[in-house]
Amino acid sequence: MTLFDSIYPFYPQQRKAFVFDVSTIIVIVVFLTFACSFLLIIPGIRGRVRLYWTLRVLLSLVVGVVIVAVQFTGDWETGWVKANTSYKSFSRALVKADIGLHVGLGGVNVTLMGNPVSQINETIHYNEHFAWRLGADYDHSYSEGLKRGLPSPILYVAEKFTKQSPCGVHRQYRISSHYASATLWVAFCTWLISNMLFSMPVLVYGGYMLLVTGAFMIFSLLSFSTVRNSPMCPIQFGIATLRTGYGGSFWLTLATGLLCFVAGITVVALHYFNLDLLKTFFDLREDKAEEYQEMTEVYINPHFVNEGLSPSEPSKLNPNSI
């Protein structure tokens, strides 16, 4: 940092990654722990059932970790632009930088990365988070950024989402993100219920709950996508315009929701058309080979059948006559 009128214009603060943060990492670690624990016991399962158990458990864990992790990611909507822009207020110095906007369910991240990173005797590498979850004050976060003296491009982008901004998108983004997050938590609950139904086992109702899980995930996407219907103020940096599109978390949620639909439809269809195959996949078929095995010969003590025979001469009886 360089001195400006004997004071530091920027202050060090804790940075938040625009895609992964501590909450996301914790969720991933927890589900990886479950997966590793299952892999430790899978060698004890014999035959083809081992493969069926592996597919069921891993697919279920993938659905669960996606539902929870996307709550904390910051790439539901993303955009980048390369621009020559001013770096500080009240300064004519221009820098060449990549400016990124990353919108999540909990707020926005604005990234400023110099190209090259070192310019005008400073290291230009910023990533700032402005939260709008319920209980968080976005305007307060923006005011704190002004007090810290954040670079002008970050403040310019963040100002577009304040309550006082003429764009008027703050309320739309906050409400749509809130309902998207709520429907995802409902999807997580239905995912838990589906796993309990599969283990009881009530297979067809577990399939129905998978369909409900996929439906709520799609509802969360529809809720978030409503912000695209509202007019977005242009974010201009000279002649360059920062445009956003759906990010990785949005498409990952869509793919997982479709996976739940496919799995649920498959379970329900097999229940009505091929129940034996469904029970085989869920390891519910009982081995009745021993029950239907015919007894060819039975040797009994002749003393209880014919006291006149010698004990040293066992007799053979037809099992059907017993």
Side-chain angles (χ1 to χ4, degrees), residues 184-260:
L184 281 175
W185 283 121
V186 176
F188 179 73
C189 294
T190 57
W191 170 78
L192 291 176
I193 295 174
S194 68
N195 283 278
M196 289 187 289
L197 292 174
F198 282 137
S199 63
M200 289 180 63
V202 190
L203 303 182
V204 65
Y205 295 108
Y208 289 145
M209 292 310 297
L210 273 181
L211 293 175
V212 175
T213 301
F216 276 105
M217 296 184 73
I218 299 301
F219 290 156
S220 69
L221 299 177
L222 294 176
S223 175
F224 184 81
S225 63
T226 56
V227 298
R228 306 289 294 181
N229 299 327
S230 59
M232 182 66 182
C233 290
I235 303 177
Q236 293 284 146
F237 295 94
I239 60 174
T241 303
L242 195 159
R243 304 182 186 277
T244 60
Y246 294 128
S249 293
F250 183 93
W251 298 116
L252 181 60
T253 305
L254 176 61
T256 307
L258 295 178
L259 176 63
C260 291

Side-chain angles (χ1 to χ4, degrees), residues 11-133:
Y11 304 96
Q13 65 277 341
Q14 185 178 2
R15 303 300 173 87
K16 180 182 177 71
F18 68 86
V19 176
F20 294 104
D21 63 356
V22 176
S23 301
T24 307
I25 295 175
I26 292 175
V27 171
I28 295 175
V29 169
V30 169
F31 278 87
L32 283 178
T33 302
F34 288 146
C36 293
S37 300
F38 172 74
L39 293 177
L40 290 177
I41 65 175
I42 195 65
I45 304 176
R46 299 179 180 178
R48 291 184 303 174
V49 178
R50 178 188 304 173
L51 176 62
Y52 298 154
W53 270 94
T54 303
L55 289 176
R56 294 203 313 270
V57 172
L58 293 184
L59 285 177
S60 180
L61 288 177
V62 166
V63 173
V65 71
V66 169
I67 293 175
V68 179
V70 295
Q71 297 269 5
F72 308 102
T73 55
D75 61 337
W76 279 70
E77 187 176 350
T78 61
W80 284 91
V81 66
K82 297 180 181 292
N84 292 324
T85 179
S86 62
Y87 181 57
K88 302 176 183 177
S89 299
F90 312 108
S91 175
R92 296 182 179 181
L94 299 178
V95 295
K96 186 177 181 181
D98 297 330
I99 305 167
L101 173 63
H102 315 278
V103 182
L105 299 183
V108 298
N109 281 77
V110 185
T111 303
L112 178 67
M113 184 177 298
N115 190 11
V117 176
S118 297
Q119 298 183 51
I120 58 174
N121 296 326
E122 292 190 16
T123 300
I124 304 175
H125 191 182
Y126 287 86
N127 184 52
E128 300 296 328
H129 180 71
F130 302 90
W132 59 41
R133 286 188 184 274

